[in-house]
Amino acid sequence: MNNRVVFIVLSTVFLFISCKKDDTLSCVKEMLDSKVELNLEQMELIDCDKSGANIDSRFVMLCYFDSTECQTCATSKLYTWNNFMEKYGKPQQMDYVFIFHPKADSHQYMRTFLMRKKEKKNIYLDTLNTFEKANPFIPHSSIYHTMLIDKKDSRIKLVGDPRRSPKIEKLFDDIINERP
């Protein structure tokens, strides 16, 4: 009897994990090649890469932090992008954009917190929830909130954080270097 219960529990857990993986894959497939509207002009630019936006850049690496995420945790980890940005930055004609959409009652706190951080990155405060409203197809889970966008047609070419997965970094490198 006990072995049977353990088998059923383990089977259920395995099935749940398998379904979750399939859901993730289908979400990513649905997002790929979808058009993204950034609408940065409707957001507040908090801090900026002193070299300025690269008008000629081919790609934008977008990181979006919505109101369900710990905003101060996310801002505290912005430095983790520095090495990646050095590796794939201007020589690859890459722009990086970080969008924060804080809860309504913490707009001023986040504005002040971000300004004090003095990060040399293109950081936007989306107090009107412009990004999410313009892109309702993007799931709410944070695993889908880092994406590579082709600037010429504003379409998503990669979903996922290349800093956290060698496989995603390889795909990222292949895309920006136009390798099949």
Side-chain angles (χ1 to χ4, degrees):
M1 182 80 169
N2 268 346
N3 288 341
R4 188 173 181 194
V5 170
V6 169
F7 176 75
I8 291 171
V9 169
L10 287 176
S11 297
T12 305
V13 168
F14 178 74
L15 182 62
F16 175 74
I17 291 170
S18 299
C19 291
K20 193 76 170 161
K21 186 177 179 181
D22 289 343
D23 288 347
T24 301
L25 189 58
S26 68
C27 283
V28 169
K29 283 181 179 178
E30 189 175 310
M31 287 177 68
L32 286 177
D33 226 26
S34 294
K35 190 169 183 167
V36 173
E37 292 182 44
L38 290 177
N39 300 321
L40 297 176
E41 67 283 350
Q42 296 177 26
M43 299 176 205
E44 180 181 353
L45 179 61
I46 297 293
D47 211 343
C48 182
D49 176 357
K50 298 303 177 215
S51 63
N54 188 347
I55 295 170
D56 297 326
S57 68
R58 168 110 192 262
F59 296 102
V60 173
M61 190 70 192
L62 172 69
C63 300
Y64 171 65
F65 305 95
D66 68 13
S67 61
T68 63
E69 296 178 62
C70 172
Q71 303 278 302
T72 53
C73 301
T75 57
S76 296
K77 293 179 183 172
L78 281 174
Y79 77 92
T80 64
W81 279 95
N82 293 347
N83 289 340
F84 189 84
M85 290 170 74
E86 276 184 38
K87 184 175 180 180
Y88 294 106
K90 298 301 179 193
Q92 302 294 346
Q93 302 301 323
M94 181 73 57
D95 274 342
Y96 295 84
V97 172
F98 300 86
I99 298 174
F100 288 86
H101 169 60
K103 293 178 181 167
D105 61 351
S106 63
H107 290 175
Q108 186 56 45
Y109 170 78
M110 278 305 296
R111 181 177 292 108
T112 304
F113 187 79
L114 286 166
M115 291 172 106
R116 286 186 180 157
K117 292 280 298 169
K118 300 272 186 225
E119 290 283 346
K120 306 257 186 297
K121 296 173 176 65
N122 297 313
I123 299 173
Y124 291 85
L125 193 61
D126 184 9
T127 58
L128 301 174
N129 197 20
T130 306
F131 182 77
E132 192 172 319
K133 288 176 185 174
N135 303 288
F137 65 90
I138 297 175
H140 290 285
S141 176
S142 63
I143 64 170
Y144 305 106
H145 292 178
T146 303
M147 60 197 83
L148 181 66
I149 302 168
D150 191 329
K151 280 177 100 174
K152 70 179 177 192
D153 59 6
S154 299
R155 298 206 180 270
I156 298 173
K157 297 302 175 191
L158 181 71
V159 176
D161 190 339
R163 299 167 308 143
R164 297 179 185 222
S165 166
K167 289 180 182 178
I168 293 177
E169 184 175 3
K170 168 95 172 75
L171 288 170
F172 174 87
D173 191 57
D174 289 346
I175 292 168
I176 66 169
N177 290 304
E178 298 183 30
R179 291 189 291 255

